[in-house]
Amino acid sequence: MLSQRARYALRALCFLAGREDPRPAAIVDIAEASAAPRKFLEAILLELKRHRILVSSRGRFGGYLLARPPSEISFADVIRALDGPLALAPCASKTAFRPCEACPGITDCPVHPALVAAREAVAGVLEGWSLSRAIGPLGAENLQAK
């Protein structure tokens, strides 16, 4: 299940991706646009900065900007940064593989192929869904409707 942190982050990043102003966005504006509690969002944005999804600047005119073009930031990047691997079980993860407890092993496990298929399907969608795509014609209408 997608965490609230990831949902707030995706909304905040879509807001940043859709801005035409080249100056950093203030946290108060990002929080308002993404309908997120400011203090909670501050921690989320700092984590995204640590993962090099955002850059920030301090001072009176400081704030946050995307570290890369919106077309180069996928939903999978954001979710992995905040929630960890996309796989349903560690044995199906590409980024955090480890054997499951009390499992006979991936070659003998009847569940493993389904978990890998689920991870591949989810990763395929989320890796293919960039911030640019989210704010495209249909995405922009959804952002304005809120």
Side-chain angles (χ1 to χ4, degrees), residues 4 8-9 21 32 36 64 71 75 82 85 88 117 138 144:
Q4 187 64 47
Y8 285 147
D21 189 343
E32 183 180 326
Y64 289 92
S71 61
F75 277 30
L82 296 173
L88 296 172
L138 293 176
Q144 292 170 358

Side-chain angles (χ1 to χ4, degrees), residues 29-41:
D29 296 330
I30 301 169
E32 183 180 326
S34 57
R38 182 178 169 205
K39 285 290 186 190
F40 190 39
L41 188 62

Side-chain angles (χ1 to χ4, degrees), residues 43-110:
I44 294 167
L45 298 182
L46 285 173
E47 185 70 16
L48 293 173
K49 178 183 172 187
R50 195 173 73 73
H51 281 88
R52 297 187 174 117
I53 293 172
L54 291 176
V55 293
S56 68
S57 58
R58 291 183 175 185
R60 184 172 173 199
F61 299 106
Y64 289 92
L65 291 168
L66 298 176
R68 303 186 302 269
S71 61
E72 295 178 17
I73 300 172
S74 73
F75 277 30
D77 295 333
V78 177
I79 293 166
R80 284 185 182 118
L82 296 173
D83 291 350
L86 301 176
L88 296 172
C91 68
S93 177
K94 282 187 176 180
T95 60
F97 174 85
R98 71 177 193 279
C100 294
E101 293 178 24
C103 182
I106 59 173
T107 57
D108 298 328
C109 179

